[in-house]
Structure formats: C-alpha cells, structure tokens
C-alpha cells in the first residue's frame, strides 16, 4: 500500500511524498531513464529535439508572464474618491470656476494624488470639470439655461416611460417603492443637498428600472446626475433651497400614490410638473 501511494517511476505516475506532495523527478539520468524514456528518445534529443522544460522554468522562446497589478484595490480607492468628489460637488464645496489640484485634494482626502487625478479625469469626461494644464481641474460654471436643457432632455426620456409604466405595472409593484419615496422626504428635511441628491436618483432609477431597459436607466441616471451639479450662483450653489427640496420630495410621494391608485391623469400632471420644476 505504501508503494502504491508513492507511485512508480516505471508506470509514469509521479512520485508522492509522505505528506502527499508530488515530487518532481530530478533532471539528468533519473529524468531520462527512471521516467521510462527510451534510448531512441535520448538520441532524438541529442539530434536537436528540445526537451520539455521543468515545471516552474521558462524556455528560451517564452517570455516571462508579468505579475498582475493590484488593480482591484486601486480601483476601489479611485471609486471612493470619485464618490466623495461628487458629493462635494453637489454640496457646493467645490466652487464653480475654481481650480483644484490633485495633490491638494489628495491631502484633503488623505490619499495620494493619483486616485484623485483619475477621479477628476472621470468627472472631466462627464462634463463636471475641465482640465487646466499644469494647474489642475476647474469646476465648470453652469447657468440656468443648461439646467433647463437638461430638464427638457430628461423629460423627453423619462415622461413617456413613466406614463407607459403607469398603464402596465400593477399597484403592488408601485407600493414596493414607497420606502424609497419616503427616504427622499427625510433627506429633504435635513436640508443636505448631497444626501437628497442620492435618494432622489435612487427613487428615479427604481421607477425607470421597471421598464427593463438598462441602457435607458443608465442614460437617464447620468442626465439626472448632471442636473444636480452646482450653478454659478455663489449664494445658492445648487440653485435649490430646503423648501424646494421638500416640495420636490413631496411630488415623489404624490406621484407614487397616483400610480398605486391608477389615476393616469394625475400621474401625467405630476410628472410634467416634476420635470418643469
């Protein structure tokens, strides 16, 4: 039984130590003879045939495989910084027109400049900031006209979907979204624009996700996020005070009540008013 557990060189079965770890046969005579290689094979090798490389070695024709970079950890830091920058942007902590450097922001968040720079480059792709060579990133200055244009585009996408869903989604599915609508009310009552912005987008995503079109949900969410960026006004960077947030959140609850009751005319009026506001 012990001999069977260790294996036999004559049968080509790799030897196993008492600990159960396979033993690599030594090179040279044992590798050629003990492994059952015939004389003809040895002559073929002498004629120029290449011997197989031992486990763990590279042949002359192979290139070493580089070790993978720890991209998961780096992406995690970048994602956290991106979320933090978006929150600061909506809260008005990043002032429109001001220039911020990656090293300064990195010191603020307690990280190196690299993940900050990568996160700001993502915000640049989204249109929230613009690159200033040798200086950093400038927060884009936006006016009421751009905000109105975003609201118009959002309405063109979301209103028809919501009206279609109002005719097809059963009342019990709408009732499942009530906690999300009530969360927007609580967030609005705090007066924190960043907190309300997140709950607002969460509610709208949940409504639109009922259509089953992930591409539409993503596009609508991107437009919604852009609509929450600060305006030029230094007094009220977001352009909306606590009273406006509370009124906006109340429309979520009223809309959900109308959807549950199946009142299509009320839904149509509320949706139009919601985006117009």
């Amino acid at each position: 039984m012990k001999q069977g557990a260790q294996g036999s060189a004559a049968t080509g079965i790799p030897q196993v130590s008492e600990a159960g770890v396979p033993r690599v046969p030594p090179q040279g005579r044992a590798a050629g003879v003990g492994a059952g290689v015939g004389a003809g094979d040895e002559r073929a090798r002498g004629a120029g045939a290449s011997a197989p490389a031992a486990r763990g070695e590279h042949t002359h024709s192979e290139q070493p495989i580089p070790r993978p970079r720890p991209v998961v950890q780096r992406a995690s830091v970048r994602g956290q910084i991106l979320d933090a920058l978006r929150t600061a942007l909506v809260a008005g902590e990043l002032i429109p027109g001001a220039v911020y450097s990656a090293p300064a922001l990195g010191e603020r968040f307690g990280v190196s400049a690299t993940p900050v720079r990568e996160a700001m480059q993502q915000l640049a792709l989204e249109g929230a900031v613009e690159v200033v060579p040798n200086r950093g990133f400038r927060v884009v200055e936006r006016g009421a006209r751009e905000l109105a244009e975003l609201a118009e585009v959002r309405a063109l996408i979301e209103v028809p979907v919501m009206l279609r869903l109002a005719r097809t989604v059963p009342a019990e599915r709408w009732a499942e979204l009530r906690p999300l609508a009530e969360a927007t009310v609580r967030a609005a009552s705090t007066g924190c624009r960043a907190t309300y912005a997140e709950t607002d987008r969460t509610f709208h995503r949940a409504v639109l996700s009922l259509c089953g079109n992930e591409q539409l949900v993503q596009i609508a969410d991107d437009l919604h996020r852009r609509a929450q960026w600060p305006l030029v006004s230094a007094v009220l960077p977001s352009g909306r005070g606590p009273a406006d947030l509370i009124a906006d959140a109340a429309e979520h609850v009223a809309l959900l009540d109308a959807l549950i009751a199946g009142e299509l005319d009320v839904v149509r009026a509320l949706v139009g008013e919601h985006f117009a506001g």
Side-chain angles (χ1 to χ4, degrees):
M1 293 299 293
K2 183 175 180 181
Q3 180 179 1
Q6 292 181 340
S8 171
T11 59
I13 301 175
Q15 295 181 346
V16 180
S17 65
E18 294 181 358
V21 180
R23 293 176 176 172
V24 179
Q27 298 183 16
R29 183 186 59 80
V33 180
V37 179
D41 293 328
E42 293 289 342
R43 287 193 298 270
R45 289 178 183 177
S50 59
R55 181 178 300 176
E57 293 184 354
H58 294 289
T59 63
H60 294 290
S61 61
E62 289 187 30
Q63 295 295 327
I65 301 176
R67 296 180 61 184
R69 297 179 179 179
V71 294
V72 176
Q73 183 177 3
R74 183 174 179 179
S76 176
V77 174
R78 180 181 58 186
Q80 294 178 39
I81 297 301
L82 180 60
D83 291 340
L85 288 172
R86 284 171 170 167
T87 299
L89 188 67
V90 175
E93 298 174 5
L94 299 181
I95 303 173
V99 177
Y100 299 90
S101 68
L105 290 174
E107 184 177 356
R108 170 181 174 178
F109 293 116
V111 297
S112 67
T114 299
V116 175
R117 188 175 294 108
E118 293 174 347
M120 292 295 276
Q121 288 171 348
Q122 176 61 36
L123 289 178
L125 293 176
E126 297 175 2
V129 300
E130 56 187 8
V131 179
V132 181
N134 302 322
R135 292 186 60 191
F137 301 86
R138 178 186 289 111
V139 179
V140 174
E141 299 178 280
R142 303 168 59 245
R145 178 181 178 84
E146 182 177 349
L147 186 62
E149 291 174 350
L150 286 170
E152 181 180 3
V153 177
R154 286 187 60 206
L156 290 173
I157 294 176
E158 295 191 41
V159 171
V161 176
M162 287 187 177
L163 294 178
R164 174 166 59 86
L165 293 174
R167 296 188 296 267
T168 58
V169 175
E172 56 269 20
R173 292 295 302 278
W174 293 120
E176 295 174 357
L177 303 184
R178 184 173 295 279
L180 299 181
E182 294 174 347
T184 66
V185 176
R186 291 192 298 270
S189 64
T190 67
C192 178
R193 293 184 293 270
T195 302
Y196 178 75
E198 184 62 32
T199 58
D200 185 24
R201 289 199 316 276
T202 300
F203 175 76
H204 279 262
R205 282 198 305 267
V207 171
L208 294 177
S209 65
L210 295 176
C211 74
N213 189 329
E214 293 297 331
Q215 299 299 320
L216 183 147
V217 173
Q218 182 62 50
I219 292 174
D221 188 60
D222 290 341
L223 290 171
H224 196 168
R225 188 188 299 277
R226 292 177 59 186
Q228 295 173 334
W229 294 340
L231 297 176
V232 177
S233 173
V235 178
L236 190 59
S238 69
R240 309 178 76 183
D244 295 321
L245 300 183
I246 293 174
D248 193 73
E251 291 177 355
H252 293 158
V253 178
L255 174 62
L256 201 57
D257 289 339
L259 289 168
I260 294 173
E263 300 173 346
L264 298 182
D265 292 338
V266 178
V267 170
R268 187 177 292 104
L270 288 172
V271 169
E273 182 180 354
H274 191 67
F275 286 100

